[in-house]
Amino acid sequence: MAQKTTIWKITSLLLGLGLLAMIMYGCPSQTGMLDTRDAAQRVYVAPGEYDEYYAFFSGGYSGQLSVWGLPSARMLRNIPVFSQDPESGYGYSEETKPLLMTSYGFIPWDDSHHPDFSQTNGMPDGRWIFINGNNTPRVARIDLTTFETAEILELPNTGGNHASTFVTENTEYILGATRFSIPYEMDKDVPIDSYKENFDGSLSFIAVDPESGEMSMDFQIIMPPYHYDLGRAGKGPSADWAFFTTYNTEQAHTLLEIYASEFDKDYVVAVNWRKAQEYVREGRARTVPANYYHNLKDKNTGIASSTVHDEVLLLDPKDAPDMIYFLPTPKSPHGVDIDPTGEYIVAGGKLATVIPVHSFSRMIEAIENEAFEEVINGIPVLEYEATIAGEVENPGLGPLHTEFDGDGNAYTSVYISSEIVKWSLENFEVLDRIDAYYSIGHLMITGGDTPNPDRRYMVGLTKTSRDRFLPTGPKQLHPAQLYDISGDRMELLLDFPTIGEPHYAQAIKADIIRPNVKQIYDLDENKHPHAVMRPRDARVERDGNVVRVYMTNIRSHFTPDNIEGIRVGDEVYFHLTNIEQDWDMVHGFAIKGANSGEVLIAPGETKTIVWHPQRTGIYPFYCTAFCSALHQEMQGYVRVSAVGSDVPLTWRTGEE
Ligand code: RUQ
Ligand code: CUA
């Protein structure tokens, strides 16, 4: 009963705050909306022309990463990352299945939140984009020459990897953190109410090989059992530091809505990762048992394989002085964002009435002067007054995330009052505000998290569309809004539906990526062990009940296209090589009754699908991609005979 009253109190408080916001700032309206023709012109990309930016939107619960052109907001591609994709066969083909392996088995789904590019001197270099899996904690690397997932690394000792992927200035590390604290040791079976004794937090530092991009878990830091929400790497003077927000410093394990909102302040965690790395190299970390998967696609064969790791290096702040600090920060902060100069650390207190801005240089001073409130598990808590540079007053209700335009302005998304608030980094005063449709989460400015933003476009990633688009039933797609921020006022240009639930997004000048994008997989470089380069090498081989079909695809036939001698109970692998070498000349393959899926095969690529025929009969297979005028003719038959049948294994194409 007491709980119910408290929930109601909080609910009515939030409702009241919303109402107050409306009175103070006016009803959501079309303020800042341009003359429609003017807006249309600013987003118009003529047929045949290209957009200026690639934008990558996380897919949230779709587990994917979608690619858009800006400013047109044309969708260019949906890249499957953590989720199976029936459209391409990702996660269904034998080559890609290992990418989705974890210590919990094959996990065909995840919840992807924050993409970040590989960086050189703080600027996105267009080589790779990383994205986190929030559920079964993982980090993925997508190769931006092919726009395909190349690697997925699982994170041990992590209960939800949300504060990820944020990349340091020269891609030394990708950050990770546990959103939910959990017992650290593997598979520990303890009462939930032993939270304070048995649960721990963790921060992860994932190293990236500068040549290959290959990721590895370099080390983890054991933390008090708080919840670690978001992260950011520093820049310029703060480049050796990483910042994370915490909530639930109350250490609640039930009804967090109430019990994790009790304290006035939680913390921003500041970690000197360079120092942590030195400690680890000096041997101050201990090796602890772990169990996690590392899945990597081989560049030459296109086949992914998994390595299982059984230990991880763990650094305890108690053994590593002067490395990590807590900055008290009001009210369950969510985002933590670093301005382009690397001086300001902006936190978004979900329930705070101001936006607190910490100063990096003041933080360093406070550390030197030992302006500590207390020390928790070897981690000094700095005095709030010693690090704070200012507080933005009247920021709206529920500030979450901040990006920057490089001209001394910051833009904060504000969830409850559903708006974006622009404020000055000079005097922390609000300069402008504009409605968001509706309930904005992240926002993204072109280059807005780099040392050198492009003050062009801003995308608001909102949570509910309600009346914005034609209705499509009780569930609408999540919308995004495109704003022009080049002038003094923010101006709304466009409102468009997206895929999944985009949390964060990243944009990059198209010129950085475009010249390196592959148009084909070079057949000469195809080292897939089951590839066939010429139709005359196509064949079918049996080894016990395993049958391998080595098949080529080219407009407009398969070789072979008549196969006999397959039996019920066989395990049939179709190894398909698309021997086309023309851009976008894709073929597909599907066979009746296959419970594995379909595959699409890009030019020069080899893909494998497995089939377990259940019943005797004649099984048509066909190309699923309309590839030529005679695409409908691109088909074949497999004859399946009974167990023990003596129909010989034969294959052919055309009359001999
Ligand atoms: S989150 S709406 Cu998963 Cu980045 Cu803030
Ligand atoms: Cu190949 Cu249709």
Side-chain angles (χ1 to χ4, degrees), residues 554-556 558 586-588 623-628 631-632 634:
I554 195 162
R555 278 159 289 176
S556 298
F558 295 99
V586 170
H587 297 286
C623 172
T624 49
F626 203 104
C627 53
S628 69
H631 154 79
Q632 288 299 80
M634 191 164 175

Side-chain angles (χ1 to χ4, degrees), residues 273-349:
W273 58 260
R274 184 115 21 215
K275 199 162 242 176
Q277 184 185 48
E278 281 161 23
Y279 285 142
V280 172
R281 299 292 174 262
E282 277 168 22
R284 289 213 207 182
R286 64 196 154 93
T287 304
V288 299
N291 178 18
Y292 63 101
Y293 271 62
H294 179 206
N295 312 317
L296 182 64
K297 186 162 119 181
D298 183 286
K299 263 208 152 147
N300 302 313
T301 63
I303 301 175
S305 61
S306 304
T307 315
V308 185
H309 293 276
D310 58 7
E311 48 185 42
V312 68
L313 282 170
L314 188 62
L315 194 57
D316 189 326
K318 286 196 218 82
D319 310 325
D322 312 325
M323 168 191 87
I324 182 162
Y325 301 89
F326 284 142
L327 283 62
T329 301
K331 230 52 208 146
S332 302
H334 182 58
V336 55
D337 298 288
I338 315 301
D339 87 303
T341 67
E343 163 66 6
Y344 293 118
I345 305 153
V346 181

Side-chain angles (χ1 to χ4, degrees), residues 117-274:
F117 293 112
S118 55
Q119 294 174 23
T120 304
N121 300 324
M123 292 306 287
D125 57 25
R127 302 172 75 192
W128 309 296
I129 189 164
F130 306 96
I131 190 163
N132 66 320
N134 180 45
N135 177 52
T136 307
R138 289 178 271 183
V139 165
R141 177 172 58 90
I142 290 99
D143 183 332
L144 290 176
T145 64
T146 57
F147 286 59
E148 290 193 349
T149 304
E151 185 180 8
I152 295 183
L153 176 71
E154 189 182 357
L155 274 60
N157 296 323
T158 303
N161 181 37
H162 187 257
S164 193
T165 58
F166 298 97
V167 176
T168 58
E169 214 176 32
N170 283 294
T171 322
E172 296 93 340
Y173 288 113
I174 300 166
L175 309 181
T178 200
R179 169 163 167 210
F180 315 108
S181 280
I182 50 167
Y184 229 83
E185 288 106 297
M186 286 162 44
D187 303 341
K188 212 168 170 185
D189 172 12
V190 296
I192 297 170
D193 65 8
S194 69
Y195 187 99
K196 287 184 185 168
E197 302 84 74
N198 284 317
F199 289 42
D200 289 299
S202 71
L203 305 177
S204 295
F205 293 81
I206 299 157
V208 180
D209 182 279
E211 288 307 308
S212 65
E214 225 178 282
M215 305 183 288
S216 58
M217 179 58 72
D218 197 23
F219 63 93
Q220 297 190 301
I221 299 178
I222 187 166
M223 296 293 290
Y226 309 153
H227 286 25
Y228 297 84
D229 206 7
L230 276 150
R232 278 290 188 190
K235 298 183 180 81
S238 57
D240 289 351
W241 293 74
F243 303 92
F244 299 88
T245 46
T246 64
Y247 64 107
N248 194 22
T249 52
E250 294 86 349
Q251 305 181 34
H253 56 81
T254 181
L255 200 64
L256 266 63
E257 181 183 13
I258 310 259
Y259 300 131
S261 306
E262 281 174 355
F263 295 170
D264 278 345
K265 292 195 176 66
D266 298 273
Y267 304 118
V268 163
V269 189
V271 187
N272 186 330
W273 58 260
R274 184 115 21 215

Side-chain angles (χ1 to χ4, degrees), residues 348-656:
K350 297 183 294 249
L351 304 174
T353 49
V354 295
I355 302 171
V357 184
H358 295 284
S359 146
F360 177 73
S361 50
R362 296 201 70 207
M363 179 191 98
I364 295 296
E365 255 171 60
I367 293 169
E368 278 161 9
N369 301 335
E370 303 197 356
F372 303 155
E373 272 176 12
E374 56 176 323
V375 177
I376 301 172
N377 293 9
I379 304 170
V381 179
L382 301 173
E383 286 163 14
Y384 181 69
E385 291 303 328
T387 63
I388 205 79
E391 290 175 339
V392 183
E393 306 271 350
N394 265 324
L397 300 163
L400 293 182
H401 298 284
T402 301
E403 295 245 316
F404 307 90
D405 66 10
D407 290 333
N409 304 307
Y411 303 71
T412 300
S413 58
V414 188
Y415 180 81
I416 301 173
S417 50
S418 193
E419 59 183 330
I420 297 172
V421 173
K422 175 180 171 184
W423 50 276
S424 158
L425 283 162
E426 223 156 85
N427 55 20
F428 308 116
E429 303 225 322
V430 172
L431 303 169
D432 189 20
R433 53 204 328 143
I434 194 165
D435 296 323
Y437 306 95
Y438 298 96
S439 308
I440 186 168
H442 277 268
L443 46 65
M444 179 271 287
I445 288 175
T446 41
D449 65 341
T450 72
N452 193 9
D454 274 348
R455 186 174 173 183
R456 297 291 305 284
Y457 302 109
M458 174 169 73
V459 176
L461 299 147
T462 47
K463 300 300 183 189
T464 50
S465 77
R466 276 186 240 139
D467 57 359
R468 296 303 282 179
F469 313 121
L470 282 175
T472 55
K475 169 86 182 77
Q476 302 274 96
L477 287 181
H478 284 286
Q481 286 88 39
L482 183 74
Y483 302 88
D484 186 332
I485 56 160
S486 57
D488 283 344
R489 309 282 321 260
M490 299 176 273
E491 294 170 316
L492 177 61
L493 299 177
L494 201 62
D495 198 354
F496 58 101
T498 61
I499 295 192
E501 183 190 347
H503 287 254
Y504 191 36
Q506 286 285 355
I508 189 171
K509 272 258 163 62
D511 299 347
I512 300 176
I513 291 186
R514 224 182 90 204
N516 304 320
V517 176
K518 281 193 180 165
Q519 301 194 333
I520 55 163
Y521 289 97
D522 195 335
L523 266 183
D524 295 334
E525 287 167 15
N526 181 335
K527 299 285 178 282
H528 193 295
H530 302 296
V532 273
M533 304 302 168
R534 298 169 303 187
R536 67 164 180 272
D537 297 328
R539 63 196 184 277
V540 183
E541 289 175 358
R542 171 183 288 286
D543 180 8
N545 70 336
V546 173
V547 177
R548 292 187 184 277
V549 180
Y550 297 83
M551 193 180 266
T552 59
N553 330 359
I554 195 162
R555 278 159 289 176
S556 298
H557 61 276
F558 295 99
T559 309
D561 69 2
N562 279 203
I563 300 169
E564 303 199 5
I566 306 293
R567 299 176 203 137
V568 170
D570 280 349
E571 186 166 289
V572 184
Y573 291 89
F574 292 97
H575 301 293
L576 297 127
T577 304
N578 178 349
I579 56 176
E580 307 268 4
Q581 291 285 267
D582 286 337
W583 190 17
D584 204 24
M585 206 51 254
V586 170
H587 297 286
F589 178 88
I591 186 161
K592 185 185 175 192
N595 50 19
S596 44
E598 164 244 25
V599 277
L600 277 191
I601 311 116
E605 192 182 33
T606 302
K607 279 278 163 73
T608 303
I609 198 91
V610 67
W611 175 51
H612 298 97
Q614 309 286 322
R615 290 152 58 179
T616 60
I618 300 297
Y619 287 81
F621 60 86
Y622 70 102
C623 172
T624 49
F626 203 104
C627 53
S628 69
L630 295 173
H631 154 79
Q632 288 299 80
E633 282 70 18
M634 191 164 175
Q635 65 132 76
Y637 289 109
V638 176
R639 173 181 172 192
V640 176
S641 304
V643 181
S645 124
D646 55 7
V647 174
L649 190 65
T650 58
W651 62 91
R652 63 188 181 131
T653 303
E655 307 294 340
E656 257 114 70

Side-chain angles (χ1 to χ4, degrees), residues 56-127:
F56 295 81
F57 289 21
S58 76
Y61 44 63
S62 82
Q64 321 289 50
L65 180 69
S66 56
V67 188
W68 303 73
L70 292 184
S72 73
R74 295 189 290 202
M75 198 189 86
L76 306 173
R77 176 113 189 237
N78 192 22
I79 305 171
V81 183
F82 297 110
S83 299
Q84 282 179 304
D85 179 38
E87 178 183 328
S88 61
Y90 178 88
Y92 293 97
S93 71
E94 295 304 297
E95 287 77 8
T96 53
K97 274 184 194 167
L99 283 170
L100 302 182
M101 283 304 296
T102 74
S103 63
Y104 299 88
F106 181 79
I107 306 285
W109 171 87
D110 215 303
D111 179 16
S112 58
H113 284 225
H114 308 112
D116 204 1
F117 293 112
S118 55
Q119 294 174 23
T120 304
N121 300 324
M123 292 306 287
D125 57 25
R127 302 172 75 192

